[in-house]
Amino acid sequence: MTVPPPPWRRGPSPRRRAEKPLLSRDLVVKTALEMLAAEGFEAVSMRRIAQQLETGPASLYAHVANKEELDELMLDAVLGGVPVPEPDPENWAEQVKEQVRLQVRAMVAYPGIAKVAWNTPVPVTPHSLRQGEAMLAILRAGGLDLKQAVFAGDALSLYAKAYAYEASSWTFGDYDEAEVAERGRQMADYMRSLPAGAFPNLLQSGQFFTGETSKDRFEFALAMFVGGLQSLVRA
Amino acid sequence: MTVPPPPWRRGPSPRRRAEKPLLSRDLVVKTALEMLAAEGFEAVSMRRIAQQLETGPASLYAHVANKEELDELMLDAVLGGVPVPEPDPENWAEQVKEQVRLQVRAMVAYPGIAKVAWNTPVPVTPHSLRQGEAMLAILRAGGLDLKQAVFAGDALSLYAKAYAYEASSWTFGDYDEAEVAERGRQMADYMRSLPAGAFPNLLQSGQFFTGETSKDRFEFALAMFVGGLQSLVRA
DNA sequence: GCTCCTTGTCGAACAGTGTTCGTTCCAACG
DNA sequence: CGTTGGAACGAACACTGTTCGACAAGGAGC
């Protein structure tokens, strides 16, 4: 009943392979990174990467176990661009802050990549470990014992992730300016609708909560935390 | 050609409506919260909520604008269970810590709800604002000026979100124990495979990085940050 | 030189997701 | 009593990550 398909010309064109660069793990990651930098984390899907490489989504799974692994490879590549300093016991507090600044800056350049760090229970990629060790080295040079250094390093990496993610959202189009303004208005309206003096502090705090103060808020938090560490060392 | 369908019995059974409780905004939120507490944030989808209520997903949209709004309603309900203290200028530092502890505890009871806080640029729900105002009141009672209080409050709420999210993942089934252990082994193996002494600190830090130390790490970070605030007030 | 077999490629499909459209139905209001 | 507004809801759309099975190419072994 069903005739076999004619043999002249079946399957994809035979010598197309030479045209496009051969698929490889690095190429997949590189393509994903470009998309990430340009359009943010949410825009990076297996289908779109495949489309960019003029193939189907299934082809990617020959080079990458799954999306999660690809995410970690992207994060690792981003962290690979962050240099680590030689620990200087005289200057450890500033070194700590600078390292966090560098990490945040790198992550913000690839909007949303910080999200991956949240979903990674134990970081195992080389550059994640390099950053972790570097932070521990600085903290120990500053006089903290191992346990203190580990706890502080954990909190600092959490800071870095958190602010990087927040900053991504502010600067990138995760939520647009109009919506934020609208919500700000809603909030002020609601507070004013209540008995006077229900929100005395919050009502006046809108001015400090803009995208421009994001950097100041970050530096404040960092200064407070590192200040606490310094008190600990002195004791 | 096409005959009209017979009029005897079309549409759903007529008096079923009396059997099941009428749909309402509160009922939708309540159902979602139960699912959230029992199975975590990822398990809560519009379809599953609808299924629980024996209806289709489209029905929910009559009571809730979209998933995002429902998420915020859930978070608000969770924060509604967190009491706020009368600010005590003599005891402000401890009050700050306790408030953060309470917030974290409430969020951990609904695993993954902290994620919602990350995606909410400007919180507008009543209980979110109540918590924000309470924190500002405590900080101002402690002697910080408005700007300092706002910056500190921002950082503290970030702490709360971050640790709540992390703790959810540890205690809940977000990633299972076997996988974490496997990754721990991978990490140790990798570090040992490198030239000796490449990761002197990190190699020894595994013992401090378990789920049991999660609480200690949280308290450490909180103590350091609040310690920094106290130094600031004294100056 | 000719098999065989591994390995990469990739179309199609599966089971999910949030959301929208258009229709049906009920109840309360004029 | 008739109209109208809103809730309910089935079906579909456009996505997501992932898997299966068929196919083609290249290198190894005989």
Side-chain angles (χ1 to χ4, degrees):
Chain A
M1 203 60 82
T2 61
V3 219
W8 26 262
R9 250 318 158 248
R10 23 180 270 168
S13 63
R15 278 273 54 89
R16 177 163 48 85
R17 202 67 48 80
E19 289 287 348
K20 58 177 177 181
L22 287 111
L23 234 46
S24 76
R25 192 180 174 98
D26 283 346
L27 180 61
V28 170
V29 175
K30 180 169 155 281
T31 308
L33 277 174
E34 286 168 8
M35 206 171 286
L36 173 60
E39 307 179 61
F41 183 75
E42 303 299 325
V44 179
S45 75
M46 300 300 262
R47 275 186 169 73
R48 291 202 60 216
I49 297 168
Q51 201 171 6
Q52 188 79 18
L53 293 168
E54 296 180 40
T55 179
S59 304
L60 306 179
Y61 286 83
H63 307 274
V64 158
N66 49 30
K67 178 84 182 351
E68 199 179 324
E69 182 179 294
L70 176 57
D71 288 344
E72 288 186 47
L73 290 172
M74 284 193 279
L75 176 60
D76 195 61
V78 170
L79 291 180
V82 181
V84 300
E86 195 67 27
D88 174 12
E90 304 303 315
N91 199 29
W92 70 275
E94 180 52 34
Q95 278 190 317
V96 164
K97 295 193 217 172
E98 184 60 19
Q99 197 61 26
V100 175
R101 285 190 204 106
L102 290 176
Q103 290 176 1
V104 169
R105 208 168 302 156
M107 289 199 260
V108 170
Y110 293 84
I113 191 65
K115 193 177 232 174
V116 176
W118 287 107
N119 299 330
T120 306
V122 182
V124 292
T125 57
H127 290 122
S128 294
L129 297 179
R130 203 180 96 252
Q131 290 295 319
E133 176 64 31
M135 190 59 87
L136 287 182
I138 298 171
L139 291 166
R140 298 226 57 189
L144 279 73
D145 66 35
L146 182 59
K147 184 175 172 179
Q148 291 170 337
V150 169
F151 282 14
D154 176 49
L156 286 165
S157 92
L158 185 145
Y159 254 135
K161 294 181 219 172
Y163 270 98
Y165 187 69
E166 197 181 87
S168 292
S169 303
W170 278 111
T171 61
F172 208 68
D174 251 21
Y175 26 72
D176 62 355
E177 210 161 326
E179 191 198 328
V180 171
E182 166 61 21
R183 291 179 71 105
R185 227 174 305 119
Q186 276 179 21
M187 171 175 156
D189 288 352
Y190 169 71
M191 290 190 293
R192 265 192 288 271
S193 77
L194 291 187
F199 291 97
N201 297 292
L202 212 50
L203 254 177
Q204 295 182 288
S205 65
Q207 52 179 319
F208 300 119
F209 234 114
T210 66
E212 286 115 42
T213 65
S214 162
K215 205 166 191 169
D216 297 334
R217 302 203 310 269
F218 170 65
E219 286 293 334
F220 179 86
L222 209 46
M224 290 303 105
F225 184 80
V226 175
L229 290 182
Q230 285 176 305
S231 303
L232 182 69
V233 171
R234 273 194 289 273
Chain B
M1 202 56 82
T2 63
V3 221
W8 28 261
R9 248 320 159 249
R10 15 182 281 166
S13 64
R15 277 271 58 85
R16 176 162 49 84
R17 202 65 50 81
E19 288 289 346
K20 59 178 178 181
L22 287 112
L23 234 46
S24 77
R25 191 180 173 100
D26 282 346
L27 180 61
V28 171
V29 175
K30 179 170 155 281
T31 308
L33 277 174
E34 286 167 7
M35 204 170 287
L36 173 59
E39 307 179 58
F41 184 74
E42 304 298 324
V44 179
S45 76
M46 299 300 262
R47 275 184 169 76
R48 292 203 60 217
I49 297 169
Q51 201 171 4
Q52 188 79 19
L53 294 169
E54 296 179 41
T55 180
S59 303
L60 305 180
Y61 285 83
H63 308 273
V64 156
N66 48 31
K67 178 81 176 7
E68 199 180 325
E69 184 179 294
L70 175 57
D71 288 346
E72 289 186 45
L73 290 173
M74 285 193 279
L75 175 60
D76 195 61
V78 169
L79 291 180
V82 181
V84 300
E86 196 69 25
D88 174 12
E90 304 302 316
N91 199 29
W92 69 275
E94 180 52 34
Q95 279 190 317
V96 164
K97 295 193 218 171
E98 185 59 19
Q99 197 62 26
V100 176
R101 285 189 205 109
L102 290 175
Q103 290 177 0
V104 170
R105 208 167 304 158
M107 288 199 260
V108 169
Y110 293 84
I113 191 66
K115 195 176 227 171
V116 177
W118 287 107
N119 301 330
T120 306
V122 183
V124 292
T125 57
H127 291 123
S128 293
L129 297 179
R130 203 182 96 246
Q131 289 297 319
E133 176 65 31
M135 189 61 86
L136 287 182
I138 299 171
L139 291 167
R140 297 225 57 190
L144 278 73
D145 66 34
L146 182 60
K147 184 175 172 180
Q148 291 169 337
V150 169
F151 282 14
D154 177 49
L156 285 165
S157 93
L158 184 144
Y159 255 135
K161 293 181 219 172
Y163 270 97
Y165 187 70
E166 198 182 86
S168 293
S169 302
W170 278 110
T171 61
F172 207 68
D174 250 23
Y175 26 72
D176 63 354
E177 209 163 324
E179 192 198 328
V180 171
E182 166 62 21
R183 292 179 72 104
R185 229 173 304 120
Q186 276 180 21
M187 173 175 156
D189 288 353
Y190 169 73
M191 290 190 294
R192 266 193 286 271
S193 76
L194 291 188
F199 291 96
N201 298 292
L202 211 50
L203 253 177
Q204 295 182 286
S205 65
Q207 51 178 319
F208 300 118
F209 234 114
T210 67
E212 286 114 44
T213 66
S214 163
K215 205 166 192 171
D216 298 334
R217 303 203 309 269
F218 170 64
E219 286 294 335
F220 179 85
L222 209 47
M224 289 304 105
F225 184 79
V226 175
L229 290 182
Q230 286 177 306
S231 304
L232 182 69
V233 171
R234 273 194 286 273

